[in-house]
């Protein structure tokens, strides 16, 4: 049996020449090879994680931009609908006001016509009375005194005959 020292990188290996020695040497060599094989795997896994993070960031950024654009379009559409609704409301209000003005004007004209008709009736009655009164002999020398009251619904006319 012989003892031998060997350095491999930072490792100092003591090799005992024996059957066990070659087994231990082979085990150490396999561990070393596994470590050298694991380094690219670790780097690959790290690169994959970085790429996945970056792709996720890009996807989230794209989704955020799409959501913002959709939000802007929705705001614009709501404003457009509000403008259209406001125009419809304004048109309905103008049509309503126009109809109301027409109704009020018509009612006013009808009331005016009714009062005028009543007034004409009273005037005709006065003319008839005056006509009959003038035909009478003026021996009594009576005077006619009239009083007229006009309200929204009635027209009152009072005639007094005063004998002197």
């Amino acid at each position: 049996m012989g003892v031998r020292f060997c350095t491999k990188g930072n490792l100092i290996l003591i090799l005992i020449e024996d059957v066990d020695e070659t087994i231990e040497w082979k085990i150490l060599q396999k561990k070393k090879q596994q470590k050298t094989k694991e380094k690219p795997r670790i780097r690959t896994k790290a690169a994959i994680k970085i790429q996945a993070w970056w792709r996720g960031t890009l996807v989230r950024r794209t989704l955020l931009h799409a959501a913002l654009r959709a939000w802007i379009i929705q705001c614009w559409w709501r404003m457009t609908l509000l403008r259209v609704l406001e125009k419809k409301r304004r048109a309905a209000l103008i049509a309503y006001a126009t109809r109301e003005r027409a109704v009020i004007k018509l009612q006013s004209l009808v009331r005016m016509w009714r009062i005028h008709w009543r007034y004409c009736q009273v005037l005709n009655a006065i003319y008839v009375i005056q006509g009959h009164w003038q035909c009478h002999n003026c021996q009594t020398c009576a005077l006619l005194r009239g009083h007229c009251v006009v309200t929204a619904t009635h027209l009152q006319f009072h005639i007094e005959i005063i004998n002197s």
Side-chain angles (χ1 to χ4, degrees), residues 20-149:
D20 292 334
E21 172 186 323
T22 55
I23 293 174
E24 286 179 27
W25 175 258
K26 287 181 182 179
I27 291 173
L28 287 175
Q29 285 296 327
K30 282 185 180 181
K31 285 183 182 179
K32 207 173 195 183
Q33 285 174 354
Q34 284 177 351
K35 284 183 182 178
T36 57
K37 285 182 181 178
E38 286 180 16
K39 281 184 184 179
R41 285 183 190 164
I42 292 172
R43 285 184 182 169
T44 305
K45 286 182 182 180
I48 290 172
K49 283 185 180 181
I50 292 171
Q51 288 173 353
W53 170 80
W54 180 247
R55 286 187 189 123
T57 302
L58 290 176
V59 167
R60 283 187 293 277
R61 186 185 303 167
T62 304
L63 289 175
L64 178 65
H65 284 290
L68 288 175
R69 288 180 183 128
W71 179 70
I72 289 170
I73 291 170
Q74 288 171 352
C75 289
W76 170 82
W77 183 246
R78 285 186 198 115
M79 288 300 293
T80 303
L81 286 179
L82 283 175
R83 283 189 205 122
V84 168
L85 184 63
E86 188 63 30
K87 283 182 182 178
K88 286 181 181 179
R89 285 181 184 163
R90 188 172 289 134
L93 183 62
I94 289 171
Y96 174 76
T98 304
R99 279 193 308 267
E100 287 298 311
R101 273 193 220 113
V103 166
I104 290 170
K105 185 71 171 177
L106 186 61
Q107 288 173 347
S108 173
L109 289 172
V110 167
R111 285 188 192 117
M112 187 179 71
W113 177 79
R114 284 178 60 196
I115 288 174
H116 180 71
W117 182 72
R118 287 279 194 150
Y119 180 72
C120 288
Q121 278 183 335
V122 170
L123 277 180
N124 287 335
I126 290 173
Y127 292 148
V128 167
I129 291 171
Q130 282 179 347
H132 286 295
W133 189 254
Q134 287 175 357
C135 292
H136 286 287
N137 201 346
C138 193
Q139 294 172 356
T140 58
C141 292
L143 292 174
L144 286 177
R145 203 182 277 174
H147 177 70
C148 182
V149 176

